[in-house]
Amino acid sequence: QVQVVESGGGLVQAGGSLRLSCTASGRIFSWYAMGWFRQAPGKEREFVATISRSGDITDYGDSVKGRFSISRDNAKNAVYLQMNSLKPEDTAVYYCASPRSTLGISRRVEAYDYWGQGTQVTVSS
């Protein structure tokens, strides 16, 4: 069974930073890209960032580009999301996800089969 677990969420003031962590088990981690998504109340799940299996290619949603950074450590089966210059609009539940296919990265929710439980990020003004 594939298990994905996020951690690191919390309450932070606008302009502050948080670092989210995610671990995945039950598959060969280094064969797969990984993604971060978020969902705010009343909104659909939104793409945040993704990283290729080698870590050489990354992609970001427009709303977080320049502020967030995704990275991975395949030796630890871990992926991270460094969030800087946080805004109240970033408030959401953040999800880590592992895709169905070993081929490439994707922005699509539908490309991901395995999801973590979510971790709450709240940015106050």
Side-chain angles (χ1 to χ4, degrees):
Q1 176 78 295
V2 177
Q3 184 178 12
V4 181
V5 181
E6 311 98 331
S7 63
L11 176 64
V12 64
Q13 292 185 351
S17 298
L18 281 175
R19 184 178 176 87
L20 305 184
S21 298
C22 170
T23 59
S25 60
R27 56 174 26 182
I28 301 176
F29 183 80
S30 62
W31 286 8
Y32 295 86
M34 294 290 290
W36 286 97
F37 294 78
R38 66 187 184 185
Q39 190 163 21
K43 295 186 177 180
E44 294 186 349
R45 194 158 296 190
E46 175 190 22
F47 169 72
V48 174
T50 186
I51 186 167
S52 65
R53 61 187 187 180
S54 69
D56 290 337
I57 304 171
T58 58
D59 192 22
Y60 299 91
D62 289 343
S63 63
V64 307
K65 195 168 297 182
R67 299 187 298 120
F68 290 10
S69 180
I70 188 171
S71 61
R72 67 189 295 161
D73 185 344
N74 286 343
K76 296 181 178 180
N77 285 3
V79 62
Y80 308 97
L81 186 68
Q82 179 66 46
M83 305 185 294
N84 298 323
S85 301
L86 283 161
K87 305 174 181 180
E89 307 94 270
D90 296 318
T91 295
V93 177
Y94 283 71
Y95 297 92
C96 180
S98 182
R100 176 181 303 107
S101 173
T102 61
L103 302 177
I105 60 175
S106 180
R107 292 168 167 240
R108 296 183 297 109
V109 170
E110 295 79 8
Y112 295 82
D113 270 2
Y114 303 100
W115 296 82
Q117 79 287 351
T119 185
Q120 176 70 47
V121 173
T122 302
V123 184
S124 65
S125 60

